[in-house]
Amino acid sequence: MLFVAPRSAWTVLDDWRGALGLRGTGSNSIRMDQARIPAHFTRETSLLDLPVEGGSVGSKLHGNPMYAGRAPSFFHGELAAVMIGTAYAAADEYARIVAARPLLLEPDRTRADLHDYQRHLGEALGVIHLAEAALRQSAEDWMEACRRNVSGEAPFTVVEDNRLALTFLNAGRMAWDVLQGILFRTAGSRHARDGERMQRYFRDAATYWTHVGPSMYEPLVRRVGCDTLGLPSEHIALIP
């Protein structure tokens, strides 16, 4: 069941300050004690399977088909966008780091002159660019699915939702892999200290990696496999 709770019914808990990363997101918990929710503030449906066929209240109200899209793929697109932006920021910081770090035995040269660090940066950027391309194309596909759904050309199906969600998730995973596996790993331990930008980018990305979104990878790949084989997949729970 989905519901809207009146502001008087809940209290925000100050329990986010100790998070490893993404400290500015304010993902605090809330507490509801003996709260009463009016029946007209409720809807018997799942957030992961909102009925949007033919349009929604939002798409009719705002005249925008975006409000008639399925939620899981949209959520994964949001997460992927944040991760790719973080990976780009880490690549910028990496370029600054290697250009400013003198070589121990040749202080008139920097790490930017070494082939290995040039290769590290180029490899990382190649993957980040690929992840961004996948993100942008999938976002266009998502909007097209919304448009066709509202126009009545074709419903926005769970099968399409699964496909787009998995593509978004893979884009986010690609950004995480190069951030932690190339950029953070080869930037040097001094940049893992408190106050260093590279450390913050790593912490933020690592916190994404603990989010419920990436944990949906295994059920999503199974769903897409079943969809392709013509087998039912909606019984495969995305969240344990």
Side-chain angles (χ1 to χ4, degrees):
M1 174 177 288
L2 295 179
F3 62 88
V4 176
R7 181 62 185 88
S8 59
W10 48 273
T11 302
V12 179
L13 303 182
D14 187 16
D15 60 355
W16 187 245
R17 65 178 63 191
L20 173 68
L22 298 177
R23 296 175 182 176
T25 59
S27 299
N28 301 63
S29 303
I30 66 169
R31 176 183 288 124
M32 301 175 69
D33 293 321
Q34 301 299 317
R36 295 184 63 84
I37 309 299
H40 62 281
F41 280 11
T42 68
R43 185 169 183 178
E44 294 186 20
T45 186
S46 166
L47 183 63
L48 297 179
D49 192 25
L50 287 170
V52 296
E53 289 78 3
S56 65
V57 173
S59 65
K60 294 178 175 67
L61 177 65
H62 299 289
N64 187 337
M66 182 180 71
Y67 291 93
R70 288 190 169 272
S73 48
F74 182 85
F75 291 155
H76 283 288
E78 288 184 299
L79 293 171
V82 172
M83 277 302 297
I84 291 166
T86 304
Y88 270 126
D92 287 344
E93 178 65 3
Y94 190 88
R96 186 194 68 78
I97 288 170
V98 299
R101 182 76 179 271
L103 299 180
L104 185 63
L105 301 180
E106 300 177 72
D108 59 326
R109 301 175 66 208
T110 68
R111 286 187 172 184
D113 295 312
L114 300 183
H115 292 177
D116 282 342
Y117 291 93
Q118 297 165 4
R119 177 172 51 80
H120 291 325
L121 182 57
E123 182 179 2
L125 284 171
V127 175
I128 299 168
H129 292 327
L130 180 60
E132 182 188 6
L135 172 70
R136 288 181 178 276
Q137 183 59 57
S138 296
E140 291 182 8
D141 290 348
W142 190 88
M143 281 299 300
E144 177 62 13
C146 293
R147 187 196 65 77
R148 296 175 65 196
N149 181 36
V150 170
S151 69
E153 297 173 52
F156 196 149
T157 64
V158 175
V159 170
E160 184 72 355
D161 191 34
N162 292 335
R163 181 185 73 83
L164 291 169
L166 182 58
T167 306
F168 283 134
L169 200 163
N170 275 324
R173 284 168 60 99
M174 291 165 65
W176 160 249
D177 286 344
V178 297
L179 193 157
Q180 61 89 18
I182 298 178
L183 300 173
F184 182 77
R185 180 180 65 83
T186 64
S189 297
R190 70 173 59 184
H191 300 287
R193 297 173 180 172
D194 289 345
E196 293 288 338
R197 286 179 179 270
M198 188 62 78
Q199 189 222 59
R200 178 176 178 178
Y201 298 144
F202 175 81
R203 288 190 288 105
D204 287 346
T207 301
Y208 154 80
W209 199 236
T210 68
H211 190 269
V212 67
S215 71
M216 293 183 188
Y217 180 76
E218 285 75 13
L220 272 174
V221 293
R222 186 181 167 202
R223 277 192 172 199
V224 171
C226 288
D227 294 339
T228 304
L229 293 169
L231 301 173
S233 68
E234 294 185 44
H235 66 285
I236 302 171
L238 293 177
I239 299 178

